[in-house]
Amino acid sequence: LFPRRPPTVPPPRWPAGRVSRRTASSGDAPEDGAPRAKVARFVNELRDDPEFAEDVRVYVRALVICLTVRFLLIEPRYIPSLSMYPTFDIGDQLAVDKVTPKLTRPIIEKDAFPVHRNEVVVFKPPPAFQALVTGQAKKDALIKRCVAVAGDEVEVRKGVLYINGKAQDEDDFINERPHYDLPPVTVPPGEVFVLGDNRNQSLDSHVWGFLPVDNVIGRAVFTYWPPSRIGGVTGAP
């Protein structure tokens, strides 16, 4: 006797157009290609849209102008203390002119300086100031009023500031008259003498000495925030 052959099982028949999962070709296109195609079409449409291209050009030009003004011409500054009160209060934001000193410096006379009396200047702290403070205060820019330039004689006597022997009328912008005296000193070449408008609450030249003109970043020209304090700075050109 011979063993019986097992019955032959025919393969499954699929309806027309149907493909078995087990026999699906691995070469089928991936389903995530559609979103990428849509993105590509959208980008191409924007690229070919003249209005969109013009908007991009306008925004780029505006950005370049803003950055140029910010880094080369006008710099915004924030007031963190009361050393310049009442000219500036805590939280005031002001515009600092950075270009005028740079343009003036090459054309001025040999013994003249771009910083003038009564101007409010922003400057990098000199070494004498840094020796008196710690931490971030060593690096933060300062703001004070220039009261004397090279060659001037400065003196504070009985609450009155004297420049070259002449009493200065400062009641319009200082908080109060100084409670200290300063013997006569002459400002050396290349330096200025600066004081805070809040004379008795300011760490300034009457404590740490003269300020090198090279440390000056620019001069304060106007306050733009808050709205109630918008206006020019007393002593600004």
Side-chain angles (χ1 to χ4, degrees), residues 30 43 64 74-75 109 114 118 141 170 174 187:
V43 171
V64 170
I74 299 293
E75 179 175 316
E109 298 178 3
N118 262 353
E170 303 180 299
I174 65 173
V187 182

Side-chain angles (χ1 to χ4, degrees), residues 32 54 63 65 71 74 81 89 110 123 134 165 169 217-219 232:
D32 61 349
E54 181 61 24
L63 178 61
I65 292 173
F71 290 104
I74 299 293
S81 73
D89 203 347
K110 181 178 179 181
F123 56 91
T134 59
D169 184 8
I217 297 171
R219 67 191 86 206

Side-chain angles (χ1 to χ4, degrees), residues 197-236:
D197 287 351
N198 195 357
R199 292 292 158 83
N200 298 304
Q201 302 295 327
S202 176
L203 188 60
D204 50 35
S205 286
H206 91 277
V207 177
W208 44 262
F210 306 109
L211 170 69
V213 174
D214 288 340
N215 283 45
V216 175
I217 297 171
R219 67 191 86 206
V221 289
F222 66 89
T223 304
Y224 63 86
W225 191 266
S228 60
R229 292 178 61 83
I230 290 177
V233 177
T234 304

Side-chain angles (χ1 to χ4, degrees), residues 68-75 96-108 113-115 122 124 213-219:
T68 300
V69 170
R70 167 62 177 83
F71 290 104
L72 299 180
L73 304 179
I74 299 293
E75 179 175 316
V96 177
D97 171 20
K98 298 173 63 175
V99 69
T100 301
K102 295 177 182 178
L103 292 179
T104 307
R105 195 180 297 263
I107 62 176
I108 56 178
F113 295 94
V115 181
V122 175
K124 295 177 289 187
V213 174
D214 288 340
N215 283 45
V216 175
I217 297 171
R219 67 191 86 206

Side-chain angles (χ1 to χ4, degrees), residues 2 6 31 38 76 82 87 96 137 186 227:
F2 296 95
E31 296 182 358
K38 291 181 180 179
L82 289 172
T87 303
V96 177
T186 300

